[in-house]
Amino acid sequence: MTSAVSSSWAGLVDDLITEEVLPQQWRAAFLAVPREVFIPDVIWRQVGDWLVPLRRADDPEEWLRRAYGSGYVVTQVDDGTPVGCEGRGWVPTSSASRPDIVALMLAAGRVEPGMRVLEIGTGTGYSAALLAHQLGPENVTTIEIDPELAARAQAALATAGYHKVTVITGDGAQGYPTRGPFDRVLSTAAAPQVPYAWVTQTRPGGLIVTPWNSPYQPAGLLSLTVAPDGTATGGLVNTTISFMQLRDQRIHRATIAEVVRDTDVPDISDTDLHASHLCNSPDARFAIERQVPHCEWEYVPASSGDGRWCMWFLDSATRSWARFDYRPDTERWPVHQFGPRRLWDKVTAAYRWWESAGRPPATQWRFTITADRQNVELQAMAEQCLVVSDHLPAP
Ligand SMILES: C[S@@+](CC[C@H](N)C(=O)[O-])C[C@H]1O[C@@H](n2cnc3c(N)ncnc32)[C@H](O)[C@@H]1O
C-alpha cells in the first residue's frame, strides 16, 4: 500500500469513528488488517448494465483505489460463471462490503474480546480477519458456500497471519454446530427467513445479527437476542443497508416484461394518492410488505422528458400487476390493475392502515424466531396489533 492510500484509509476509518459508525475499539483492527490481501486481483465494476472485470495488473492504481475506497468491491459475479458475452457479469454474488457497513455490522454485533463468533458468508475473508484481530483467530469460525471463495479466503487469512481462523465450506443456513455454541452469529448475507439453526447454536443471551430483506422493502439489518427457551427475538436496527442474500433464499425480482403481456386487459381507475408515498419511506414499505407479501415495485421514468413516470407493482407468481401513471399537470392519476391480486388496492389499503396506526417505524416491529415460525408483530399496539407469520421453509 502506498503512503497516500494508507493515509486516506486511516482518514476513512477515523471518519467512521467520528460519525459514530465504528466503535473506537475497532480502530486498531481496521488499520492492521491489510485489505488488499483479501481483495482478489480481478474485481468487477459496473459499466452500463454489465459488470466488467478490472484486473489489478491492468490498472493497479484504480484497483488499489477501489480496494481501499468507501464503496463495496464486487469480487464474484453470477456464482463464478459470468453470463454475459466477453466475460461480462450480470449479478454480483460476492463482494467485500462497504467499510461503513462492515463497521455497522460489527457495532450492531456488540462483539467483545473473549467472545466466540460464527460468521456466515466468508466472501473475501476480510470481516473474518477483523474479527480474528479483535478476538483471536481461534474464536472465529466462518462459513462460505462457494468452495473457490472459501479456499481463497482461507489462503488470504493465512497470508495475513490468521491461519487459525476456522473456514468451513458449506451452507451457512445450517450453521456449524461442531464449534458452537457461539456468543454471536453474524451473517453477511441477507436472510429473509432467519434459519433456526442459528438460534440453537447461539448461547442464551447471545446475538444474531443479519441483513434482512423482502421484495417490497429490500433493505435492513436485524438484531435478535437468543432466549433460554430456544427462541430469538429482536427487530430491525437499520432499514437502509442492502446485501446479497443467502443462496437458497434469493428473491427472484421479476421484470415487468415477465409479468405483463400486451394482451392483458386491465381495469382502470384513478387516485389522488401519489405513488411515491407507497415506495419512498422504509417504514411504510415495511408495513406494506408485511401485509402484501410477494409484491415488488419498480419506478420507470418516461423517456419523453416531460416529467411523466410510472410506478409498477408486480407479483409474478399470480401474474398480477398494477401501474400508476404520473403526470405533473394533474392531482388525480390513472391506475391500471390486472390479475387475481388487486395490487394497487392491497398496497394502498396497507399504506392507509400504516397511516392510521400512527406511521410506526420499521424498527418497532418485533421479530420472533421459533423452530417452525418467524413471527413479526408490531409492538405496543394492543388494539391494532398486526401479527404476520412466515413459515420457515422445510429443512
Ligand atoms: C457480501 S458477501 C460477504 C462479505 C464478506 N464477509 C467479506 O468480508 O468479504 C456474502 C457472501 O455470502 C456467501 N453466501 C451466500 N449464501 C451463503 C450460504 N448459504 N452459506 C454461506 N455463505 C453464503 C456468498 O457466496 C458471498 O461470498
Side-chain angles (χ1 to χ4, degrees):
M1 186 177 17
T2 64
S3 63
V5 172
S6 157
S7 70
S8 101
W9 176 249
L12 190 154
V13 171
D14 286 336
D15 286 349
L16 293 177
I17 292 170
T18 309
E19 290 155 15
E20 296 183 359
V21 179
L22 181 68
Q24 173 72 36
Q25 64 266 33
W26 283 93
R27 183 173 188 273
F30 270 68
L31 295 185
V33 173
R35 210 165 141 80
E36 78 262 31
V37 169
F38 294 90
I39 309 285
D41 286 348
V42 179
I43 60 177
W44 300 79
R45 61 180 159 185
Q46 195 79 41
V47 176
D49 285 344
W50 290 94
L51 288 154
V52 299
L54 167 65
R55 293 180 183 80
R56 184 174 191 171
D58 292 345
D59 192 345
E61 266 182 41
E62 177 62 7
W63 184 95
L64 212 51
R65 197 185 64 74
R66 285 174 183 254
Y68 282 96
S70 58
Y72 63 93
V73 182
V74 176
T75 53
Q76 187 199 57
V77 295
D78 305 327
D79 293 330
T81 310
V83 297
C85 53
E86 293 163 9
R88 291 181 303 173
W90 186 245
V91 179
T93 46
S94 191
S95 65
S97 307
R98 272 176 18 205
D100 62 331
I101 288 184
V102 176
L104 206 135
M105 288 207 63
L106 293 172
R110 289 186 267 138
V111 178
E112 302 290 342
M115 288 184 171
R116 289 163 47 74
V117 173
L118 173 65
E119 183 200 30
I120 314 295
T122 314
T124 61
Y126 178 69
S127 309
L130 292 172
L131 288 164
H133 186 92
Q134 199 77 346
L135 307 176
E138 56 289 346
N139 290 320
V140 180
T141 303
T142 179
I143 308 187
E144 169 58 53
I145 201 161
D146 186 297
E148 274 183 36
L149 296 179
R152 202 197 162 278
Q154 186 151 35
L157 283 160
T159 304
Y162 305 114
H163 59 277
K164 285 196 178 154
V165 169
T166 303
V167 181
I168 304 296
T169 302
D171 181 3
Q174 310 297 322
Y176 192 63
T178 315
R179 298 258 308 157
F182 300 97
D183 297 288
R184 300 286 184 263
V185 173
L186 306 180
S187 178
T188 57
Q193 299 275 349
V194 177
Y196 187 62
W198 298 356
V199 180
T200 57
Q201 293 170 34
T202 304
R203 68 158 176 81
L207 289 184
I208 298 168
V209 176
T210 180
W212 173 94
N213 58 21
S214 72
Y216 205 92
Q217 164 53 21
L221 186 67
L222 189 57
S223 172
L224 302 159
T225 304
V226 173
D229 66 359
T231 63
T233 55
L236 294 173
V237 292
N238 177 294
T239 55
T240 57
I241 63 171
S242 70
F243 269 76
M244 48 196 66
Q245 286 122 346
L246 287 174
R247 268 199 193 174
D248 65 355
Q249 292 203 28
R250 282 179 183 160
I251 297 168
H252 169 70
R253 285 194 70 79
T255 61
I256 295 166
E258 274 169 352
V259 180
V260 181
R261 302 207 179 127
D262 290 345
T263 48
D264 292 346
V265 182
D267 293 337
I268 305 174
S269 55
D270 67 0
T271 182
D272 61 0
L273 179 60
H274 193 290
S276 65
H277 293 298
L278 307 171
C279 305
N280 280 359
S281 147
D283 298 332
R285 290 200 300 259
F286 190 86
I288 294 169
E289 187 281 330
R290 290 288 85 198
Q291 297 166 80
V292 195
H294 313 299
C295 175
E296 60 191 82
W297 53 272
E298 187 174 337
Y299 165 77
V300 180
S303 49
S304 52
D306 59 2
R308 295 182 186 222
W309 48 263
C310 300
M311 194 75 82
W312 289 86
F313 301 85
L314 305 167
D315 169 20
S316 58
T318 62
R319 216 173 71 67
S320 303
W321 58 264
R323 194 185 74 222
F324 168 94
D325 293 327
Y326 178 77
R327 28 183 280 203
D329 56 353
T330 175
E331 294 192 347
R332 287 197 78 82
W333 302 279
V335 171
H336 294 64
Q337 293 192 83
F338 176 83
R341 284 183 96 197
R342 312 311 272 175
L343 290 178
W344 176 261
D345 297 346
K346 286 181 186 296
V347 166
T348 52
Y351 173 78
R352 303 243 189 248
W353 174 88
W354 175 74
E355 275 201 320
S356 69
R359 301 175 165 237
T363 49
Q364 202 176 317
W365 293 77
R366 194 78 355 224
F367 284 66
T368 304
I369 317 299
T370 63
D372 61 354
R373 215 164 265 263
Q374 173 163 296
N375 272 345
V376 184
E377 65 186 297
L378 194 51
Q379 274 194 321
M381 292 204 56
E383 277 153 38
Q384 300 175 60
C385 187
L386 183 76
V387 181
V388 186
S389 289
D390 300 335
H391 289 274
L392 293 173

